[in-house]
């Protein structure tokens, strides 16, 4: 086990144990200790859910395109990308499950689906995604690549599925006409782009830090992340500048909270500073440095949460009609929101679980892929000492 992997295991276990304190509080007191309420019913966990599922779709799309179109230069990246997608999706589902008022009733969404509901369709997209992802992991990591026709077919099927998964997440927000800050045809597109950027960045960090690819492949992933980051900058500029210039009252008020509100530092400092400007400089100036590429990718992946926080919270923190803020007063009847310590601890626990899922599946898949039969070698042949997850 490499030093980097040991460090990741230590960080994952430490986050799991520390975050479990918040999980116990969530289980014992329900939502009482959370900072959200009647007017702002969604908070940190919904933002994490949207981020992690989008990240899962982005990583899955990277692998699906690689296998579907036979991009040999990215094959070493595709296997870890599948595991990143699986771990991110597990974390996203855990986040939204813990946010539910009655988590044990979540199964009803599958059996009592309303097919006029975007959320109902998303439940079935999740199921299809898990099936295709599971088959791809099985074929590539467990059985090897002996049946490349099946792998390619699954990759081609996975491309529209990944787009539906990421775009569908955006549609959950975009179709809500009562929330002008969310209601836009661009919202699903931004979800796909943000998910692809953060997913590719996380995969890049993993393969570079764990040394799963050659140096030139790591540099190629750095260029891919750079291209996606540039595209994201263009789309975000279009979205923010047009919304600001149009000054439609209901939309402009939410945008004002993002740009100049109490937590404007999240947008300017964390998102634009650490999540866009710094990685952009690293990827342009030090593209040949593995350390700089990994650091830039890590910053993009970690700060991806801010894009969802700056979507979810400001869209809810503006009263739906004038006077609502003062019409009623009482516990939970506030448009102010900031995550409590319990929410942050549970969020840490969710992130730790996702990380541990990746590390565990990486270990298992590595051992299975190293078997002679999985590598297409005669039974009894000693497996190569090459990296188990390298294509």
């Amino acid at each position: 086990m490499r030093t980097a992997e040991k460090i990741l295991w230590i960080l994952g276990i430490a986050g799991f144990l520390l975050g479990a304190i918040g999980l116990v509080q969530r289980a014992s007191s329900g939502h009482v200790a959370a900072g959200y309420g009647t007017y702002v019913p969604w908070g940190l966990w919904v933002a994490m859910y949207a981020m992690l599922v989008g990240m899962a779709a982005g990583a899955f799309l990277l692998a699906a395109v690689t296998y579907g179109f036979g991009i040999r230069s990215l094959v070493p990246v595709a296997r870890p990308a599948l595991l990143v997608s699986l771990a991110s999706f597990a974390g996203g589902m855990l986040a939204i499950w813990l946010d539910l008022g009655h988590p044990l009733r979540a199964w009803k969404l599958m059996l009592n689906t309303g097919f006029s509901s975007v959320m109902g369709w998303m439940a079935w997209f999740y199921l299809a995604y898990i099936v295709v992802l599971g088959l791809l992991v099985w074929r590539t990591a467990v059985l090897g690549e002996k049946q490349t026709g099946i792998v390619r077919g699954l990759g081609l099927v996975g491309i529209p599925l990944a787009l539906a998964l990421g775009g569908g997440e955006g549609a959950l927000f975009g179709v809500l006409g009562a929330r002008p800050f969310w209601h836009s045809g661009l919202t699903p597109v931004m979800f796909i782009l943000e998910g692809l950027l953060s997913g590719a960045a996380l995969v890049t960090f993993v393969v570079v830090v764990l040394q799963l690819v050659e140096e030139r492949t790591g540099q190629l992933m750095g260029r891919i992340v750079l291209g996606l980051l540039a595209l994201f900058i263009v789309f975000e500029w279009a979205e923010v500048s047009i919304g600001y210039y149009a000054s439609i009252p209901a939309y402009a008020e939410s945008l004002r909270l993002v740009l100049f509100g109490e937590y404007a530092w999240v947008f300017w400092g964390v998102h634009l500073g650490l999540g866009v400007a710094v990685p952009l400089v690293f990827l342009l100036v030090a593209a040949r440095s593995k350390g700089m590429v990994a650091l830039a990718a890590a910053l993009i992946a970690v700060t991806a949460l801010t894009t969802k926080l700056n979507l979810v919270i400001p869209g809810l923190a503006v009263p739906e009609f004038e006077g609502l803020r003062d019409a009623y007063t009482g516990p939970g009847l506030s448009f102010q929101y900031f995550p409590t310590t319990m929410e942050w601890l549970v969020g840490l626990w969710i992130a730790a679980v996702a990380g541990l899922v990746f590390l565990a599946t990486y270990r298992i898949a590595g051992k299975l892929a190293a078997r002679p039969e999985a590598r297409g070698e005669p039974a009894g042949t000693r497996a190569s000492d090459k990296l188990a997850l390298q294509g």
Side-chain angles (χ1 to χ4, degrees), residues 15 83 89 131 172 194 237 282-283 316 331 333 337 343:
L83 302 183
F89 185 76
V131 170
L172 285 173
E194 290 167 0
W237 167 254
F282 286 169
L283 293 173
L316 295 168
L333 296 177
Y337 169 79
E343 290 178 78

Side-chain angles (χ1 to χ4, degrees), residues 103-114:
L104 297 181
R105 298 180 185 175
W107 60 272
K108 288 181 175 289
L109 187 60
M110 294 295 302
L111 300 183
N112 299 329
T113 299

Side-chain angles (χ1 to χ4, degrees), residues 200-218:
L202 184 56
V203 172
T204 300
F205 171 78
V206 166
V207 298
V208 172
V209 168
L210 295 181
Q211 301 178 27
L212 301 182
V213 296
E214 297 177 354
E215 185 174 350
R216 61 180 180 180
T217 305

